[in-house]
Amino acid sequence: MSVGSNMCRAAAAASLVLPLAAGATVRIDVEISSLGGNLWHYDYILSGETFNAPPAAPGPHGFSIYFDYAVYGALSNESTTNATWDMFSEQPDAGFLRDGLFDALAGDSPSSTGAPFGIDFEWVGTSTPTGIQRFEVYTCADVDCFSLTVVQEGNTRPAATPLPGSLALIAVGLIGLGLRRARRTDDS
């Protein structure tokens, strides 16, 4: 797929949102990793729906994840081991008040979502990245995806991983329970 077709695909996002098949929703969880300094990496884990290549197979066909220009800088190194996906990114641009995006279009039917989709980025916000971003899932009317319809909108969710402080608190609690039990045994 050419860069021109990618640009058209990104620009073609319709404001119309149609539902996926009854009860079907795509969920996108995010694992966050620091690369040092203000460089970070997100791994996106998709679940809940099968993606197919457009337009022969029914959708959804792809997804876009948006990067707020106020807190994200340079995007780089789109990655996945899912070889059947066509991926690209567009840089956030604070000068034009334009969000960046990471986009992936299924290239086969069904396309695997079993491995994570990753991207590196520069964090220009305060504190640390939250992993919460706006996303859209879309279907295409043609093979180049010049005409697309958004079928779901949502926000990515940070993957449930215990923080180091939480693990330390749990460890202290378990040690305390162990000492209390040992003390009761000694008193008996």
Side-chain angles (χ1 to χ4, degrees), residues 20 24-29 44-51 113-114 117 135 137 152 157:
L20 293 171
T25 57
V26 173
R27 177 175 157 170
I28 304 178
D29 291 328
Y44 301 104
I45 299 97
L46 278 68
S47 61
E49 187 65 51
T50 300
F51 285 77
T113 56
F117 295 82
F135 75 84
V137 176
Q152 180 187 338
R157 302 178 342 169

Side-chain angles (χ1 to χ4, degrees), residues 16-17 72 115-116 133 160 174:
L16 176 64
V17 178
Y72 291 97
Q133 298 170 271
L174 291 173

Side-chain angles (χ1 to χ4, degrees), residues 75-136:
L75 307 178
S76 62
N77 301 325
E78 305 93 1
S79 62
T80 186
T81 56
N82 297 323
T84 61
W85 288 83
D86 177 28
M87 300 177 301
F88 75 96
S89 61
E90 287 185 11
Q91 300 300 323
D93 190 336
F96 286 104
L97 307 179
R98 193 179 82 217
D99 291 342
L101 75 99
F102 170 80
D103 185 271
L105 176 66
D108 202 357
S109 295
S111 282
S112 171
T113 56
F117 295 82
I119 192 163
D120 298 343
F121 60 91
E122 177 187 14
W123 179 252
V124 296
T126 59
S127 188
T128 58
T130 62
I132 300 172
Q133 298 170 271
R134 182 172 61 92
F135 75 84
E136 296 175 337

Side-chain angles (χ1 to χ4, degrees), residues 12 38 44 61 73 90 103 125 140 142 171 184 188:
N38 62 347
Y44 301 104
H61 299 123
E90 287 185 11
D103 185 271
C140 303
D142 54 63
R184 280 189 182 171
S188 301

